[in-house]
Amino acid sequence: VILFLNNDIEFISRNWGYELASNALRPNIGFVGAKLLYDDNTIQHSGVILGIGGVAGHALKYLNKDDDYFFSKIFCAQEYSALTGACLAISRTNWHKLKGFDEKSLKINYNDIDVCLEARLIGLRNIYLPNIQAYHHESKTRGKPLGIALKNWKKERNFMLKKWGETIKNDPHYHPFLSLYKEDFSKTMNYKKINLRSSLLSKE
């Protein structure tokens, strides 16, 4: 099993190695991720949702780690289209099938999202494990990209939209009635429009 891990990760679950490895070795499982927390015990990562912010965002970001919001989703082991590369486990066999990260077109941003989507293309499932928790210490203080960093981010964002545009627009693990502007699973304005149209049709 290969584990990709940021140098600012501190596990607080004692059995993290066993859980990540044993799940990564299951049949048809691609990447395995954990519940990552800010130092104030709010969520940094509990799965990735495609389309939020244009390309992808983290599910239920900034909620308290013990919040039972949205049907206690934070506590549910589940499949997502993608996971963050800050803590990402995969079997060596599957990693070789994928041939690694795209280091040419995605040197800094979205390479974790890209490789997770590549895993789905070959029939592998990416799963989030809520029982494995770790602090991701520096992530909350990282500012927005500026200057050259901003230029690189836009370039890599455009690459992702060109390569995965339809997939990003239609995340199979996220309902189309939910917002692409917030990471809290709140309803989108489309929900109100569709409900209004349904109501008018029923009256006719």
Side-chain angles (χ1 to χ4, degrees):
V1 173
I2 297 173
L3 176 63
F4 298 97
L5 196 66
N6 276 31
N7 62 0
D8 60 343
I9 296 290
E10 177 191 355
F11 285 103
I12 54 176
S13 301
R14 295 180 61 185
N15 60 336
W16 62 269
Y18 172 81
E19 291 289 344
L20 289 171
S22 60
N23 278 280
L25 291 171
R26 289 168 51 196
N28 302 318
I29 296 299
F31 290 99
V32 182
K35 180 193 289 185
L36 301 185
L37 311 173
Y38 293 117
D39 289 336
D40 60 2
N41 286 316
T42 57
I43 295 292
Q44 189 264 330
H45 170 267
S46 61
V48 169
I49 300 164
L50 302 179
I52 289 184
V55 176
H58 289 182
L60 303 175
K61 193 174 183 179
Y62 302 131
L63 267 70
N64 184 278
K65 70 181 181 68
D66 296 320
D67 201 318
D68 61 359
Y69 175 79
F70 203 81
F71 308 103
S72 300
K73 193 172 180 65
I74 287 175
F75 303 106
C76 300
Q78 59 201 279
E79 181 178 357
Y80 277 98
S81 292
L83 304 160
T84 181
C87 176
L88 207 56
I90 189 171
S91 73
R92 184 180 294 272
T93 299
N94 286 333
W95 180 247
H96 287 313
K97 289 180 183 178
L98 293 169
K99 300 179 181 179
F101 294 109
D102 185 343
E103 297 180 12
K104 181 179 179 181
S105 301
L106 299 169
K107 295 180 180 180
I108 301 173
N109 304 287
Y110 303 123
N111 45 50
D112 49 356
I113 310 302
D114 178 69
V115 78
C116 282
L117 296 182
E118 290 286 356
R120 292 183 68 245
L121 281 184
I122 62 172
L124 300 175
R125 300 165 59 207
N126 304 310
I127 58 172
Y128 154 71
L129 300 181
N131 56 315
I132 302 305
Q133 301 183 52
Y135 287 112
H136 191 181
H137 289 293
E138 297 179 10
S139 56
K140 200 167 191 177
T141 58
R142 192 176 300 139
K144 294 182 178 180
L146 299 170
I148 295 176
L150 178 59
K151 184 178 179 180
N152 289 335
W153 171 77
K154 288 181 177 178
K155 181 180 179 180
E156 292 171 344
R157 177 182 180 273
N158 290 338
F159 174 84
M160 287 292 291
L161 292 175
K162 184 176 180 179
K163 179 179 179 179
W164 299 106
E166 289 305 312
T167 302
I168 288 171
K169 290 178 183 177
N170 300 284
D171 190 332
H173 304 290
Y174 193 65
H175 200 283
F177 282 173
L178 299 178
S179 176
L180 293 177
Y181 297 96
K182 296 181 179 180
E183 295 162 306
D184 61 359
F185 283 69
S186 55
K187 294 175 183 176
T188 178
M189 291 301 292
N190 290 335
Y191 177 84
K192 294 181 179 179
K193 291 178 183 178
I194 293 172
N195 271 3
L196 177 61
R197 182 174 181 273
S198 298
S199 177
L200 291 173
L201 287 173
S202 64
K203 291 180 180 179
E204 292 177 2

